[in-house]
Amino acid sequence: MVVYTWQCSCGKIKANLKGKPCTQFNCCCRSCVAASTFIDDKGLGGLSCRNESGGAAVLIYPSNRVEFTTDLSENGQSLLKFIRVGEDGTPYRCYTKCCGSQLNNAIFPNLIAINSNGVLNPDGTKYDRGHVLNVKVSESFDPAMFPEPKHDTITPGMLVAFLTRLMNPAHPKPFDKRYKELFPEPSECEVVPITWEDNVSDNKINGEPERAKEQPMQDSSSSGMSLSC
């Protein structure tokens, strides 16, 4: 089985990714783009999670095929910082303290949406994702800016890839049992403010724009984390 490497821009945080990802995509929804932009705007110089079109570029890996090869804490202190979109937002995104590289766009006990811009081939060259689908375009800030191939939501195949892993109670090597540093307390997360309105141009209630609402689908694991962005 081929083993890829994920690493932050300075190389302090590394992980092995075993085999090809379950699925991959660029998430174009407001939450994912706002979260990645929030980290990028800190100007820390690390890896952005956004691709050339502006979506969050991720690879989906199950927890049993990811092994961090460096410590995620040092002298009792986490080497990661966390954000969430809105006061009650989940899932959490994290970036490295060392260089400000975004590590993930979401994490659950059984899988991770890892930043594809940090993935390297076994020979150290950058991993080439090829043509990747832009998803959740209908929930983006500007649907017209995203090129084909694109999809208004997510495809049935992607949904199956998520649920077959999230709903497996016997899934081996869950992240929350091995890497507690990846699961912060809510109070440890910096909040990305929700400043946008939902479909302002064409979605109005009683003549007024409908405010953005989060309607999460719940993870069936003990974490209770939301599967929504």
Side-chain angles (χ1 to χ4, degrees):
M1 178 184 290
V2 64
V3 177
Y4 301 96
T5 299
W6 186 94
Q7 69 176 42
C8 65
S9 60
C10 74
K12 188 176 180 69
I13 305 295
K14 295 182 180 181
N16 285 339
L17 310 176
K18 300 173 184 178
K20 293 286 187 180
C22 301
T23 188
Q24 59 181 341
F25 52 82
N26 304 317
C27 189
C28 307
C29 78
R30 299 174 185 86
S31 292
C32 289
V33 171
S36 295
T37 301
F38 185 82
I39 295 171
D40 294 346
D41 286 350
K42 291 180 177 292
L44 302 175
L47 289 170
S48 173
C49 193
R50 290 183 293 172
N51 73 333
E52 61 276 3
S53 297
V58 297
L59 306 179
I60 305 300
Y61 273 91
S63 59
N64 62 323
R65 292 206 275 119
V66 178
E67 297 282 348
F68 283 90
T69 56
T70 57
D71 291 334
L72 296 178
S73 61
E74 197 171 74
N75 300 320
Q77 298 295 315
S78 174
L79 295 177
L80 305 172
K81 299 196 77 170
F82 296 87
I83 63 170
R84 55 182 173 160
V85 178
E87 292 290 343
D88 302 315
T90 57
Y92 308 130
R93 283 89 167 174
C94 69
Y95 62 97
T96 63
K97 289 182 178 179
C98 51
C99 59
S101 294
Q102 186 170 345
L103 170 58
N104 64 7
N105 194 49
I107 188 167
F108 305 98
N110 292 349
L111 64 79
I112 188 171
I114 200 163
N115 178 1
S116 68
N117 293 327
V119 178
L120 304 175
N121 294 313
D123 64 1
T125 58
K126 185 174 175 59
Y127 177 74
D128 183 5
R129 297 194 305 153
H131 278 306
V132 179
L133 186 65
N134 292 307
V135 303
K136 304 190 82 171
V137 172
S138 64
E139 301 174 33
S140 68
F141 288 109
D142 182 5
M145 71 177 282
F146 295 100
E148 298 288 350
K150 60 185 177 180
H151 196 282
D152 279 345
T153 55
I154 63 172
T155 67
M158 289 177 180
L159 185 59
V160 169
F162 278 111
L163 294 182
T164 54
R165 287 159 181 85
L166 287 169
M167 298 178 72
N168 179 3
H171 197 286
K173 293 186 169 183
F175 284 120
D176 57 339
K177 303 298 183 186
R178 295 185 294 146
Y179 305 114
K180 294 188 182 299
E181 299 96 332
L182 293 172
F183 295 88
E185 294 297 325
S187 60
E188 298 178 271
C189 299
E190 192 172 1
V191 175
V192 180
I194 296 176
T195 59
W196 56 89
E197 295 176 337
D198 188 23
N199 297 329
V200 173
S201 62
D202 57 9
N203 187 16
K204 296 186 178 182
I205 298 177
N206 297 326
E208 295 297 325
E210 182 181 2
R211 296 295 300 178
K213 289 186 255 185
E214 192 173 28
Q215 296 180 333
M217 176 170 61
Q218 292 298 319
D219 172 1
S220 63
S221 72
S222 60
S223 72
M225 294 178 70
S226 164
L227 300 187
S228 73
C229 295

